[in-house]
Amino acid sequence: MSPENISLQDSDALLVVDPQNDFCPGGALPIPQGDQVIPVLNTWIRAALSRRIPVYCSRDFHPREHPSFWEQGGPWPQHCLQDTWGAGFHPDLEVPEQAHLVTKGVRFDMDQNSVFQETGLTSRLERDGTKRLVVMGLALDVCVRASVLDGLNSGFEVRVILDGCRAVTEESGREAIREMEEAGAICSSGAST
Ligand code: VGL
Ligand code: ZN
């Protein structure tokens, strides 16, 4: 994808969801082809920086014995343990110095799939004058989905860049796209709108 195809507006914010080692092949909760999104994310990050659009990168960051883990009766294998390699951003991701990091999944008593859940991100975005979120990352059917639905509920327009997303399963990925579109998100492969 060439930079000319990237369409961003002044009141956009770029939201890059959980591009972490544990969600890529070789990690603890590998999402099929999860690593293939990294070059796409880098292209959008570069475009946002050149347009002075704020970049938010989120990370899943769990304490040991987090309630989302199998051992605790949750739906997932242990992943993204705080301060481990698996919780780190993929080594090829170009996280800019100016990026705002959003850390979630830190609560001992509940999971936070959405980047908006108990993070205060809504008020931070409102302070920037953000009107539209351009969202991509991992996983499409889990944290991207939850974040997009919350973002729409908070009154933001949302555009999802599907080239920059991969799902845990194809079927729930399709279902997530359907739900996000029904809620008002624009999902497109990647080129300009
Ligand atoms: C995620 C499963 C468990 C995600 C986080 O970031 O999509 N998926 N925790
Ligand atoms: Zn998690």
Side-chain angles (χ1 to χ4, degrees):
M1 187 177 26
S2 57
E4 311 78 81
N5 285 335
I6 299 241
S7 146
L8 286 165
Q9 298 159 194
D10 286 344
S11 53
D12 286 347
L14 185 67
L15 177 57
V16 179
V17 177
D18 301 0
Q20 293 166 274
N21 289 317
D22 267 348
F23 296 130
C24 293
L29 204 175
I31 291 154
Q33 307 175 344
D35 55 334
Q36 292 182 13
V37 305
I38 304 297
V40 180
L41 306 183
N42 284 337
T43 304
W44 282 87
I45 289 170
R46 275 187 233 126
L49 291 178
S50 73
R51 295 284 309 273
R52 298 180 176 278
I53 283 158
V55 177
Y56 291 81
C57 295
S58 70
R59 60 175 181 171
D60 209 33
F61 209 61
H62 295 314
R64 284 188 308 274
E65 298 165 31
H66 187 256
S68 76
F69 297 163
W70 285 335
E71 294 76 3
Q72 277 64 48
W76 308 112
Q78 210 179 65
H79 63 280
C80 296
L81 282 177
Q82 292 171 4
D83 293 325
T84 63
W85 170 85
F89 289 126
H90 188 285
D92 296 337
L93 185 75
E94 296 167 11
V95 184
E97 201 176 289
Q98 303 92 316
H100 306 288
L101 301 188
V102 183
T103 299
K104 64 181 181 58
V106 297
R107 286 191 57 143
F108 292 108
D109 58 343
M110 58 181 271
D111 204 1
Q112 294 151 278
N113 280 338
S114 158
V115 298
F116 291 99
Q117 206 173 348
E118 314 234 343
T119 60
L121 179 59
T122 309
S123 54
R124 182 69 185 75
L125 290 166
E126 284 169 353
R127 188 144 43 98
D128 277 347
T130 300
K131 293 198 175 66
R132 185 175 74 158
L133 304 173
V134 180
V135 186
M136 58 203 77
L138 304 172
L140 175 64
D141 46 348
V142 187
C143 289
V144 170
R145 171 189 173 279
S147 302
V148 165
L149 296 177
D150 266 2
L152 291 164
N153 267 324
S154 299
F156 299 105
E157 288 171 47
V158 180
R159 182 172 166 217
V160 184
I161 307 302
L162 297 173
D163 286 350
C165 299
R166 291 294 184 280
V168 178
T169 70
E170 266 185 50
E171 191 191 340
S172 65
R174 277 193 297 273
E175 172 67 9
I177 293 168
R178 200 192 55 71
E179 276 180 281
M180 294 186 293
E181 286 182 334
E182 194 170 284
I186 306 289
C187 299
S188 63
S189 62
S192 56
T193 48

